[in-house]
Amino acid sequence: MHRIFSDSVASVYPLYVAKLARKGRTQAELDAVITWLTGYDSDELARILDEGVTFRDFFADARINPNSSLITGVVCGIRVEEIDDPLMQQIRYLDKLVDELARGKTLEKVLRR
């Protein structure tokens, strides 16, 4: 079991915000990416962050977007579409979406619209 599974989403969320802010992106864009991927609305996301929900529970209760299979590419040297563990793949999907935002892709393209 990887350590990230038991980490809280709230512990990583500020790192995502800071990474995107350095690139001129907003917290609202991050939230849009998270809600697109997981199906959580803004109130649910706020509750998850307040309660310190782990990544394991975060993705266990998520309604993963059917278009998430369109997310491809490399994160940490590994192709996300080739990751065998479903939970790790979902975490890496989120990382990949954040990376795409940080690299300047439009929100529409990141959300596979």
Side-chain angles (χ1 to χ4, degrees):
M1 182 174 83
H2 199 278
R3 185 180 69 96
I4 190 73
F5 296 172
S6 59
D7 285 350
S8 72
V9 176
S11 68
V12 177
Y13 185 84
L15 302 174
Y16 287 149
V17 171
K19 178 178 186 171
L20 293 175
R22 285 191 305 271
K23 301 295 184 168
R25 304 310 286 256
T26 66
Q27 182 175 344
E29 289 173 306
L30 172 61
D31 291 352
V33 164
I34 293 171
T35 58
W36 177 87
L37 178 63
T38 63
Y40 292 121
D41 64 26
S42 57
D43 291 336
E44 290 171 312
L45 180 57
R47 179 192 54 79
I48 286 164
L49 295 173
D50 287 343
E51 293 178 2
V53 172
T54 65
F55 274 101
R56 178 183 307 284
D57 294 336
F58 178 73
F59 282 108
D61 295 336
R63 300 168 301 279
I64 299 298
N65 190 305
N67 287 338
S68 65
S69 62
L70 300 175
I71 301 169
T72 60
V74 177
V75 173
C76 298
I78 299 171
R79 296 204 66 79
V80 295
E81 61 270 26
E82 296 174 0
I83 297 173
D84 291 329
D85 184 302
L87 176 56
M88 181 58 81
Q89 186 176 48
Q90 291 166 349
I91 293 168
R92 295 303 183 198
Y93 279 164
L94 180 56
D95 290 342
K96 182 65 179 168
L97 295 175
V98 171
D99 285 351
E100 289 177 357
L101 269 181
R103 288 191 182 114
K105 271 193 173 182
T106 66
L107 189 57
E108 291 296 313
K109 285 186 180 182
V110 173
L111 300 183
R112 292 4 189 214
R113 293 186 183 154

